[in-house]
Amino acid sequence: MHRADAGRAALVDYILGLLEQAGHRVTEPRVQLIQAVAAWERQSFTGEDLYAELRPTGLGRATVFRTLRLLQELGVLSRLHLSDGCQRYVVTPPASGHSPEHMDRLICRRCGRVAYLDECPMEDSLARIAQATGYRVDGHHLDIVGLCAECSAAR
Ligand SMILES: [Zn+2]
Ligand SMILES: [Zn+2]
């Protein structure tokens, strides 16, 4: 098996496991949708993108959007807060050490590519903020938006 395929299969299994743990049934349409979502692992997508992709399988629009919301509740997907009104979703990868509580990423607003930062640029600032406010900080999530190298070269 190709490495990317193996990673994708593991992601599908992980998401299905979360669904079951949360007491949701693993139905065939849900499996189909989760497989499609896993293929968007490094790319942001909208509900419409996913619906267009799954439409030939007969999956209804309401099911697609309902399941996306469910995956968001389970922490598998997060919404990107971009100027388009938070229409875009991105997969929160479970195995890479990036959790919903700590995620620093670069997002290309043109092609939707998502890249994760290995080093946290926030640590020093967070320590200062915690000190100044008395907050015990549990997490943060930083989206740096712009054009990726390829998209900015194409301009
Ligand atoms: Zn780009
Ligand atoms: Zn960070």
Side-chain angles (χ1 to χ4, degrees):
M1 205 191 267
H2 194 269
R3 203 165 151 243
D5 293 343
R8 198 164 287 169
L11 181 59
V12 170
D13 285 347
Y14 169 80
I15 298 173
L16 292 175
L18 284 182
L19 265 186
E20 281 186 316
Q21 269 172 38
H24 298 284
R25 283 191 311 133
V26 175
T27 57
E28 187 53 36
R30 279 181 174 161
V31 173
Q32 267 179 343
L33 186 138
I34 287 163
Q35 281 168 342
V37 161
W40 289 90
E41 196 184 357
R42 292 282 157 152
Q43 190 86 18
S44 63
F45 62 93
T46 64
E48 294 298 337
D49 290 334
L50 200 67
Y51 172 57
E53 192 183 319
L54 290 168
R55 203 175 181 169
T57 69
L59 224 64
R61 192 200 171 92
T63 308
V64 169
F65 280 83
R66 202 177 328 116
T67 311
L68 286 176
R69 270 201 301 280
L70 175 59
L71 295 181
Q72 200 188 337
E73 282 163 25
L74 292 173
V76 171
L77 291 179
S78 53
R79 274 178 190 262
L80 292 182
H81 305 289
L82 301 181
S83 51
D84 68 359
C86 313
Q87 302 291 323
R88 297 194 153 266
Y89 290 94
V90 65
V91 175
T92 307
S96 60
H98 301 283
S99 67
E101 291 74 39
H102 180 201
M103 214 163 26
D104 304 314
R105 56 194 177 188
L106 288 156
I107 297 145
C108 179
R109 61 181 159 75
R110 191 149 176 253
C111 70
R113 185 183 313 211
V114 179
Y116 290 84
L117 298 180
D118 292 326
E119 266 178 49
C120 179
M122 295 286 290
E123 259 161 33
D124 293 346
S125 314
L126 286 173
R128 274 203 309 279
I129 290 164
Q131 182 96 56
T133 61
Y135 266 67
R136 200 191 67 200
V137 176
D138 291 329
H140 67 274
H141 152 185
L142 176 69
D143 285 344
I144 302 167
V145 182
L147 293 175
C148 72
E150 272 175 41
C151 287
S152 57
R155 292 215 134 182

